[in-house]
Amino acid sequence: MPTRIAVVTGASSGIGAATARRLDAAGFHVVAVARRAEKLDALVAELKTASSFVADVTSDASVAALAEHLESLDGEVELLVNNAGGAIGAETVEDADLADWQWMFDVNVLGTIRVTKALLPLLDRSGRGTIVIMSSTAGFVVYEGGGGYTAAKHAETAVAETLRLELSGRPIRVVEICPGMVRTDEFALKRYEGDAEKAAAVYAGVAEPLVAEDIAECVTWTATLPHHVNIDRLVVRPLAQAAQHKVHRVFE
Ligand code: 8X3
């Protein structure tokens, strides 16, 4: 049986790194993709059969080089996890910093499209491709101060749904995963531009926010089901988060 290759973007930390670990354990050869080489190297060193490729999903040249690299590997690219993404800023629309909005669109939306376009021929060739799009509950609800991120994630959701329609009849399923509150090392810190206090407040009083491994488990489940089973969208929240604005917090 040919080596089953899984490509994970944004693999240097958080959900991406956890997903790379989990897919490695599930028997894929993981190609971990991100911009930060040292973090990728450290990750790959702990895995069984993984390798890394330094790439920036916002760069055409970088993603073309990734596709070329994958072509040269011995194996079938069966799985693409479009995980690279993130949020910056919590301003209202009125006070929006357009550079932040631009970044969020570039990484979350255009990054996903760029990598997907580049890898579609390989996924097709495998005969049993899966594209996972890491969206968010922000892909279908909005909240004050989240305009740039929710707009980008809504767009990502639209891309996932469009892609599923357009790929109908081809051997590629499209899975959208929408996590709610997940505590990772970087997500909230990046959103609040390094303000650790604001980042910590996101999870304050929440006994058990989701962790990256929870989402990695979801990715692995959807990607290892029999190939005719397509989980269109998985919405995953911690028990304490009944809805975007309904979070159970306990303060001593
Ligand atoms: C993360 C979920 O609530 O910060 O994608 O938008 S939220």
Side-chain angles (χ1 to χ4, degrees):
M1 195 158 135
T3 302
R4 307 177 68 187
I5 296 171
V7 180
V8 181
T9 67
S12 54
S13 70
I15 292 173
T19 298
R21 287 191 188 96
R22 187 65 190 77
L23 290 173
D24 176 72
F28 286 94
H29 173 95
V30 174
V31 178
V33 178
R35 287 170 306 172
R36 295 175 291 183
E38 328 74 63
K39 291 215 168 228
L40 288 180
D41 289 346
L43 171 70
V44 163
E46 34 162 304
L47 303 184
K48 282 194 293 241
T49 71
S51 58
S52 65
F53 192 86
V54 175
D56 177 353
V57 300
T58 68
S59 153
D60 285 342
S62 195
V63 171
L66 168 65
E68 207 172 303
H69 169 71
L70 294 170
E71 284 271 7
S72 74
L73 296 181
D74 186 18
E76 304 274 2
V77 177
E78 286 188 16
L79 173 59
L80 164 61
V81 184
N82 281 298
N83 168 75
I88 298 189
E91 288 79 22
T92 59
V93 173
E94 187 174 20
D95 291 328
D97 180 332
L98 295 191
D100 290 346
W101 282 56
Q102 184 77 58
W103 182 85
M104 287 186 273
F105 271 77
D106 282 348
V107 178
N108 293 286
V109 187
L110 301 183
T112 292
I113 299 169
R114 185 174 288 106
V115 177
T116 298
K117 268 173 69 97
L119 270 56
L120 264 173
L122 294 170
L123 291 158
D124 231 343
R125 200 186 305 160
S126 79
R128 51 173 187 168
T130 302
I131 298 171
V132 174
I133 294 187
M134 194 60 67
S135 182
S136 167
T137 49
F140 57 87
V141 278
V142 296
Y143 48 89
E144 299 102 311
Y149 183 63
T150 59
K153 287 300 186 186
H154 274 65
E156 217 177 319
T157 288
V159 170
E161 291 185 358
T162 307
L163 199 54
R164 193 177 303 112
L165 295 175
E166 292 175 353
L167 293 178
S168 174
R170 286 162 66 181
I172 306 173
R173 56 188 169 180
V174 179
V175 177
E176 186 195 358
I177 298 193
C178 298
M181 183 184 281
V182 185
R183 184 168 53 203
T184 60
D185 291 340
E186 296 184 358
F187 180 83
L189 203 57
K190 190 167 183 69
R191 167 171 260 178
Y192 292 105
E193 294 162 87
D195 187 327
E197 216 169 295
K198 282 189 184 163
V202 172
Y203 314 104
V206 179
E208 285 182 293
L210 296 176
V211 292
E213 288 70 23
D214 297 323
I215 304 304
E217 187 63 32
C218 295
V219 174
T220 307
W221 177 65
T222 60
T224 55
L225 284 168
H227 194 256
H228 66 283
V229 182
N230 193 139
I231 304 296
D232 284 2
R233 172 189 278 180
L234 205 55
V235 177
V236 197
R237 298 182 191 270
L239 177 60
Q241 187 182 31
Q244 204 77 2
H245 298 91
K246 177 82 177 165
V247 179
H248 182 65
R249 297 180 192 268
V250 178
F251 297 102
E252 298 297 311

